Structure formats: C-alpha cells, structure tokens
Amino acid sequence: MSARVLSCMCIPNAMMESVPNRPLDYYTCAFRKTKMNRFLDCDNHEMYFTNTQRHRIVYEILAGTVYGKSKRAEVGVDRLINEGAYTAAFPLHEGPFQLPGFNVRPNELNQRQILYHYWALWCKWYKYQPLDHIREYFGEKIAFYFAWLGFYTAWLLPAAVVGTLVFISGVISMGTNTPA
C-alpha cells in the first residue's frame, strides 16, 4: 500500500529493490503419482519437489527410521540426538556458499546467494523483504513468520518515534519543570 501511495505522489520508493530470479507463482496441491502429468516439469525428475519439500521428506524418513528395537522406542534421529549418538542434525543447503563476486551476473545466483545478497545484510534493513524467495527457500511457515514480523515492526515504528520524542522533551524540560 505504501508503494502505491508513493507512486501516486511521484516520489521514488527507497524501500523497493529489484531482486533477481523471482520464483514462479503457481498453485500447489497434494502430490499424487497418478496425476503426474498435471505437475510442472513432470518429465524432469530433479524438479518434482522444491528444496524445502525435500528437506521435510528427508527429516520425516530420519524421524521414523527404526535403529534398534521398536519395543524400546528406538526410533528416529531425535532419539539418537537425545542419547548422544549424534550431537546435532541440521537441514542441508544447496551447494557451496560463495559470496557473489564482480563477475557473477544476478540471474546466475542460487536462492541462498540471493537471500544473502538482497535480504540478510545489515545495509538492507529498510528494504522490503523478498518474501517469495524466503518462501521458496525456507517454506511457507517461515515466510509467514517474516511477513508478520515485518508488519509488526512497521506498526511499532511510529510508536517508537513518538516515545523517543516524549523522552527527549522530558529530559530537556527536567531542569525547569519539576514534575517532568
């Protein structure tokens, strides 16, 4: 909404940034092998699932795998972590991470590099969040969380400014105004 107001007043929007490789916007449904021909890239077996969906599938397999006697509930990677067989379990990320150099074009960056370069840097704190890219890389729940966090922060900003002004005026008038 703020972008529309600024464009109507012909004011450039300093928060807007063009992020490359925007993910496709499409509807999703439950995966069924019988309806394979209705899915995008059904001929390409590497593109059946997104990275986030693959991570969840691998976690579900690891969480349900029996490694000992099922009567003693020796099931899953979480139990192995609790028993100390593993110290931690983390999701995999796509490819080695390299900072984008001067010779890399923006359309050649992978999702992780795009998120680092256009979102995770301190100098990008005032820019809009690339929620489509966050959804593509981390999943819907994390994207909804960051959308809510951005909305909440934006609505707290005016209250913080008013509170700071009231505090400064109180400090300035403290010497002359006893109740202040």
Side-chain angles (χ1 to χ4, degrees):
M1 181 168 162
S2 62
R4 274 188 262 138
V5 171
L6 291 174
S7 67
C8 289
M9 296 190 307
C10 298
I11 298 173
N13 190 352
M15 298 185 330
M16 187 68 72
E17 184 173 32
S18 176
V19 180
N21 298 340
R22 185 177 175 145
L24 294 175
D25 190 21
Y26 51 85
Y27 294 103
T28 59
C29 65
F31 180 78
R32 304 229 186 278
K33 192 172 182 180
T34 58
K35 301 192 189 278
M36 184 77 80
N37 59 346
R38 296 183 183 177
F39 287 90
L40 292 176
D41 291 330
C42 63
D43 299 331
N44 187 357
H45 295 285
E46 297 294 322
M47 300 301 291
Y48 281 162
F49 303 107
T50 65
N51 285 335
T52 306
Q53 291 168 335
R54 287 181 182 164
H55 294 181
R56 288 186 185 146
I57 291 169
V58 168
Y59 179 77
E60 289 300 322
I61 291 170
L62 290 174
T65 301
V66 177
Y67 65 88
K69 296 178 181 173
S70 59
K71 292 180 183 177
R72 293 177 39 195
E74 294 176 337
V75 178
V77 72
D78 291 331
R79 177 77 186 255
L80 288 171
I81 291 171
N82 289 338
E83 290 179 357
Y86 289 112
T87 56
F90 297 102
L92 302 174
H93 293 283
E94 56 182 43
F97 183 73
Q98 299 160 347
L99 291 176
F102 295 107
N103 56 358
V104 177
R105 292 185 302 218
N107 60 356
E108 293 175 352
L109 299 173
N110 64 28
Q111 286 284 31
R112 188 173 174 199
Q113 291 170 331
I114 288 173
L115 286 175
Y116 177 78
H117 189 66
Y118 292 94
W119 178 55
L121 297 176
W122 282 103
C123 62
K124 305 291 184 181
W125 68 271
Y126 64 95
K127 300 284 187 184
Y128 290 128
Q129 299 183 72
L131 292 174
D132 291 330
H133 293 283
I134 295 170
R135 188 189 114 241
E136 186 77 20
Y137 191 74
F138 292 110
E140 285 80 12
K141 290 181 181 180
I142 304 297
F144 271 118
Y145 170 75
F146 279 108
W148 174 83
L149 193 63
F151 173 79
Y152 185 68
T153 304
W155 277 95
L156 281 179
L157 193 61
V161 169
V162 170
T164 304
L165 293 176
V166 168
F167 175 75
I168 291 172
S169 70
V171 169
I172 291 172
S173 65
M174 189 169 55
T176 58
N177 189 355
T178 305

